[in-house]
Amino acid sequence: MGLGRSSTQRTGRKFLPAIALLWFATLGGAFGATLTATLDRNVVPVGESITLSLVFEGAASAQQPTLPPISNVTVTPGTSQRNELSFFNGQQSSRTIYDFQLVATQPGDVVIPAIQGQAGGQVLTSQPLSLKIVKAEGASAQALTNLAFLRLIVPKTEVYVGEPFAVEIQLYWQNAQQVQIPQLNPDGFSLGPSPKPTQTRTQVGNTLYNLVICRLTATAARTGALPFGPAECSLTLLVPTANRNRSRDPFESFFNRGPEFQARPAVLKSDAVTMRVLPLPKENVPAGFNGAIGNYRMTASAAPTNLTVGDPITVRVQIAGNGPIDSLQLPAQADWRDFTTYPATAKTDLNDPLGQSGVRSFEQVVIPQNHEIQALPPLRFSFFDPQAKAYRTLSSPAVPLNIRPAASAAAPTSTLTNGTADATPPPADDIVHIRPRLDAAGAAAPLLVAQPWFLGAQSAPVLLWISLLLWRKRVELLANNPKRRRQREVAARIRDGLKELRGHAGAQKSLEFFATLFRLLQEQLGERLDLPASAITEAVIDERLRGCGVSDEVLKPLRELFQTCNAARYAPMTSSQELTALIPKLEGVLSELQRLKA
Amino acid sequence: MRHVAVLPALVLLFLRLLANRLLGSLAPLIGAPARSWLLAVGFATLGLGAGSPSLAADIGSDFDAANKLYEQGKFSEAAAAYQKLLDAGAPAEAIHFNLGNAWFKAGQLGRAIAEWRLAERSSPRDPSVRFNLQFARKRVTGSDAPAGVLWQRALRSLTLNEWTVLASVLLWVWFLLLALREFKPMLRKVLSGYTSTAGLGALLLAVCLAGAAALQFNTRPAVVIVPEAIARTGPLDEAKVLHQLRDGTEVVVLDEKEVTVGESKQTWLQVRDNARRIGWVKGDQLSVLAAGRT
């Protein structure tokens, strides 16, 4: 049982994250469901139909909402429903849309109230909508035929110069080709950006029309009564031909079928609208007013507030509201005279495709110029409110600042001054006066480390030390190796002895010559055989050298030299040539002996 | 350990006597022609191609003319005249010093500090240069502390050649003692203390020389020469403002980038100030102190 319970617990733990995820997803789905109401147009003439769409988003199951009573319109029986499923970035979203057809019955400003709907057991509420219903007299006059016509609708005809106003161009047609986007004559006005036109269908009387709605904003550039428009649109109308129903014979109509429509190019033109453009009031204009028109609110913050003179403070300002939000600029702040200011950077988040509503965020860097500043003075932003027909000024609170003077440190204690006695202390309130004389001593000298002679000079003590070190090592080596020392001594003696021999031969000193020759042989043999030189006799040659493996080619001339020396004691040679002739022989023998392994 | 302190001090004393006392004190005592010859010999030794007494006399007269402009209160003209002398290849410490004075009087604090710092390279312990620099720094930061940390200031207190000669002298002493030990082995015991002291001293001074050389050639000091230089996050006018550098602020150049704006090229320098703040500043707002001699 214990094992079973443990297994169950493990299984439970295993599925716990999945269950939690599912629960959160369900919860998230319920919490994330929304109901949005939209109209296919906000301005409609009397007698025309408009589509009211109620969109359930993120809801699992949505029930058809019931519309509350709406003034000035009647609701056409019958409602269409459609479902949309979309995947974006791996996220699934579903929408259920209910479309209601409303027909405008009386002119006026209508507010469609918030509509409640049920989805997934939850009651959702849409936002209220505003609809303007205009009279339909002009519309019939504008129609070229009942096949197509164009309307220019400006809900507000009295505006201030610089105040943007909404414009709608509505193009109706039954059957047409090559329909161009309507164009507007903008003389005296500047036109704002126009979002993509929307297309819908509407019923006027008993006729169903295709309807394209172009929305945009316009701004008057000068004052007075100005004509606005007209709007124009070119298209090719498909007009039904007259012989379409001439014959009732089905065979004739089948085999002799003529064109049912005739293509007829046409240019539709709307009426112009007369706009009354008022100048901005000249009274009570705020000092910092820079031309902003609309209705705004402002928030501002500044950081850091604890800083040093010269450090930047970033002032962040958000201005939100209705108006030409993207063209707003922060005005220069007269109270910020103790700060160095830099041009603000700005970005706009629009809530409205026409650019007439949103939030504009500014970031401006200001740098305090002294540490006596206590606060960043309030930021002021003035605008003209066309609804209130008055100027308004928004002001942020002053931001307290703690500003320290620039970094300071203790004066350094001078430990390496050259302390020349002639350096008179200068007055403390001015710099030391200019030098009257141009000294070569003060000229910049070339770098010593880059001079070859200097680098060469540095090697001299090193070379001296290395030489003496090697010399000492050699002396020590010889002192510790007597055989090597004797070898070097014998080599020196032989070098000197050969010189002596040549001297004796030249002087014909036979006795001295042979005595030296004998001595040299003794020295060399003694060194080779490691015997005292005095112990070397002719007998040693046979006893020791033959045992060492010396060849007869060496032994023979050696023996001859010994014998010549012995013979010379009794019959000395007196000829210089004879004596000199023995030297190469001796040198040959000595050379051979030196090659012997000691 | 007493030898460590005594030996470099003696060598330094010798150098100071040689450089300041002999040359500096003798110069006022000798006549103008002799000074011209001295200048000519000095410039010829430096390989500046001005090794003729007449050319040296010209430089001297131009220098005097610039000094006259200064005394007349024509500081900007005097600065231009001193600059002309420098451009002509007369790299004398006195010209940098006087040019610094002229810029200071003309209200160009940053340019003055830059010139005095160049003069300081030739005469790092000159009291006049040090005073003027401290005076100007106090105007900029409220403090007369020199730029750099303590070890940097210590290394800058001697010129590169002074460090070189000191290290060279100790090197010679060390190897001569080593050679003497080899030549007379019986003196080894007596010389061992001196030898190790000289060896350590030579090594220490060689390290100081390397440090001073690295400080001079691997770091690019610069001075702000406009009333307000703006340090930004990147080498672009559109980059975010980080902080402001006042005229005369001493910085170290870390990086350099050329940016093409339209048809012209802008040089931007990444700099670090004494508060270790880093930012990009336009190159024409700074005077970069070139790696100089000595």
Side-chain angles (χ1 to χ4, degrees), chain A residues 53 105 136-137 316 343 488 512 547 594:
Chain A
S53 301
T105 53
E137 288 83 14
R316 292 183 175 84
R488 295 176 67 87
E512 288 85 354
Q594 283 166 358

Side-chain angles (χ1 to χ4, degrees), chain A residues 309-312 314 316 340 342 363 365 367-369 406-412 414 416-421 423 426-449 454 457-458 460-462 464-465 468-469 471-472, chain B residues 16 20 23 35 38-39 46 59 63-64 67 70-71 82 91-95 97-98 101 104-105 116 122 125-132 135 141 143-146 157 160-161 164-165 168 172 175-176 178-179 182-183 188 217 228 230 241-244 277 293-294:
Chain A
V309 170
D311 284 350
T314 303
R316 292 183 175 84
T340 303
Y342 296 92
E363 268 195 19
V365 170
I367 295 177
Q369 293 303 297
S408 59
S414 176
L416 283 166
T417 53
N418 49 8
T420 48
D429 59 345
D430 200 4
I431 55 173
V432 177
H433 201 60
I434 56 170
R435 300 208 197 291
R437 194 174 293 112
L438 192 62
D439 292 329
L447 276 178
L448 282 174
V449 283
F454 182 82
Q458 303 317 303
V462 181
L464 176 68
W465 170 65
L468 286 171
L469 179 71
W471 171 78
R472 186 179 60 77
Chain B
R16 280 165 52 182
N20 297 329
L23 286 175
R35 276 206 301 274
L38 193 64
L39 269 177
L46 299 173
I59 290 174
F63 182 75
D64 291 340
N67 280 2
Y70 182 93
E71 299 292 2
Y82 289 128
E93 175 267 349
I95 299 178
F97 179 80
N98 288 6
N101 278 25
F104 183 84
K105 292 288 183 182
W116 285 330
S122 304
R125 299 174 307 283
D126 185 284
S128 304
V129 176
R130 290 167 70 98
F131 178 84
N132 282 3
F135 192 87
T141 62
S143 161
D144 50 6
S157 61
L160 270 186
N161 277 354
T164 306
V165 170
S168 168
W172 270 78
F175 276 103
L176 287 177
L178 284 172
E182 301 301 335
F183 189 64
R188 280 188 173 198
F217 295 108
E228 286 172 3
I230 299 303
V241 174
L242 282 176
H243 52 267
Q244 183 190 41
R277 298 180 302 183
R293 295 186 283 188
T294 66

Side-chain angles (χ1 to χ4, degrees), chain B residues 2 16 18 54 76 86-87 149 192 213 218 224 249 257 278:
Chain B
R2 204 174 54 184
R16 280 165 52 182
L18 193 71
S54 62
S76 297
L86 287 174
D87 295 341
V149 289
S192 62
N218 291 354
V224 176
T249 304
K257 188 176 181 185
I278 295 175

Side-chain angles (χ1 to χ4, degrees), chain A residues 401 481 531 547:
Chain A
L401 298 175
N481 190 346
L531 292 170

